Amino acid sequence: VNEWSGAAVADGSVRGRGRVEDLRRGPNLCPDERRGVVGGGVKQPGGGVADGADFQQLQLGPAADGDCDCDAERGRGWRCDGDAGALAEQLDGNYSGPDAMQPSPNVTVQVFDDDEAGVVLSSLVLFAAEGGSESYTVRLLSEPTQPVTVAVDSGGSTQLGLSSSSLTFTSLNWAQAQTVTVTPVDDGVGENDVLVQLSHSTSSSDASYASAAAPFLPGSVVNVTVSDNDQAGISLADQTVYVDEASTGSYEVVITAAPTQTVEVMPTSADPSLLQVTTAALPLTFTTSNWNQAQTVTVLAVDDGVDRG
């Protein structure tokens, strides 16, 4: 129960403190309608001020004990700011109550104790595409007595590069976050996503930050998913080739990403009696060294002596 009192305002509202007497549902307002009694008066629609008149209000959170604005004439609710929570005017039922907050009305905040030794990583999950980069930061949780080195190890992965594999923190810069940038190698090879794990460790003469002594928060391993920007495929330079009978034409073939094994392409004619493939070296062979070099396919239109219009 909240006690409040106040004085009427000329615009038909009342400002001050009040007391909610009972909780009931009403057909015309959102859920959690409340009816209260004003100790200080409410200006009525027809004029005059009636002490103890009814008003309507809506509650979205815990009832607040604080300054309030109550619209009595239009029955549209009130707004309060107080220590225990807040009341707010709400006219659209689609935005009433905790269900309107997606995916959840709750936010989890993890608080790290800065009185203990520890290493804080800003993120444990990164998604980086070839041709781009992503980053995270590292900082200490408390001031060390001796310099602290944080090592970053990719496990020998050739999928990405690191801006730094070693970070040094002292009593002067321990609270300043240092950035590690990860850059995937754009290798031109078409492949699936690759997961690279970056592990972290500390070394120091400070016993609190000696190897395996200081905890990493929220963890010591950053998982980097490297996505490929090279889509494997075979590209034909021309979709249509125009050839006169008894003449030849050509088009080029190239593959779009470096293969891990030899790729052979065999061009064939749907009707050899009309069109023949005359390229000498068949099949076309693409390797890891010549995959980006276009190869030519030559065709001959057969002169069959038939008028085809």
Side-chain angles (χ1 to χ4, degrees):
V1 175
N2 289 317
E3 297 289 343
W4 71 289
S5 61
V9 182
D11 63 0
S13 64
V14 79
R15 183 186 303 276
R17 297 180 179 276
R19 176 168 52 86
V20 176
E21 289 196 331
D22 64 314
L23 174 65
R24 63 187 70 174
R25 290 188 178 274
N28 299 322
L29 297 176
C30 303
D32 295 333
E33 175 185 349
R34 284 192 172 189
R35 182 172 295 277
V37 175
V38 177
V42 176
K43 179 177 173 59
Q44 298 301 302
V49 176
D51 187 27
D54 287 343
F55 69 92
Q56 292 177 324
Q57 67 184 29
L58 301 179
Q59 181 178 358
L60 299 181
D65 184 11
D67 292 335
C68 306
D69 291 317
C70 172
D71 186 340
E73 282 195 82
R74 291 172 292 181
R76 293 178 60 183
W78 67 344
R79 180 182 299 276
C80 296
D81 294 321
D83 296 336
L87 298 175
E89 178 179 339
Q90 178 58 56
L91 303 180
D92 187 341
N94 293 325
Y95 291 93
S96 176
D99 292 341
M101 302 179 188
Q102 300 297 330
S104 168
N106 301 317
V107 175
T108 300
V109 179
Q110 186 170 2
V111 179
F112 299 135
D113 187 353
D114 62 3
D115 297 319
E116 299 180 357
V119 182
V120 180
L121 306 183
S122 63
S123 178
L124 297 184
V125 178
L126 295 178
F127 295 90
E130 290 183 1
S133 64
E134 290 294 334
S135 62
Y136 63 98
T137 62
V138 182
R139 66 176 177 87
L140 300 188
L141 196 56
S142 63
E143 181 179 347
T145 60
Q146 298 293 328
V148 177
T149 299
V150 178
V152 186
D153 185 8
S154 65
S157 173
T158 60
Q159 293 291 328
L160 54 78
L162 299 175
S163 60
S164 178
S165 60
S166 179
L167 307 173
T168 301
F169 296 90
T170 68
S171 58
L172 299 178
N173 71 346
W174 64 273
Q176 300 172 10
Q178 297 189 41
T179 300
V180 177
T181 300
V182 297
T183 304
V185 176
D186 194 353
D187 53 13
V189 178
E191 54 195 352
N192 295 326
D193 290 353
V194 177
L195 176 64
V196 179
Q197 293 187 317
L198 304 179
S199 60
H200 299 73
S201 60
T202 60
S203 60
S204 176
S205 297
D206 183 338
S208 298
Y209 283 99
S211 179
F216 281 84
L217 304 172
S220 64
V221 176
V222 175
N223 293 290
V224 184
T225 300
V226 179
S227 58
D228 189 48
N229 64 350
D230 304 297
Q231 184 175 1
I234 299 173
S235 176
L236 305 180
D238 298 291
Q239 293 296 309
T240 303
V241 178
Y242 298 93
V243 184
D244 294 333
E245 286 188 348
S247 299
T248 61
S250 64
Y251 61 94
E252 292 184 337
V253 179
V254 69
I255 62 178
T256 59
T260 57
Q261 301 292 330
T262 298
V263 176
E264 294 183 343
V265 178
M266 176 63 77
T268 58
S269 173
D271 188 348
S273 66
L274 299 177
L275 185 72
Q276 300 174 357
V277 178
T278 58
T279 303
L282 291 177
L284 306 177
T285 302
F286 297 91
T287 66
T288 55
S289 59
N290 76 341
W291 65 272
N292 57 351
Q293 300 173 17
Q295 299 189 40
T296 302
V297 176
T298 303
V299 296
L300 169 67
V302 177
D303 187 356
D304 58 3
V306 177
D307 184 3
R308 302 179 183 279

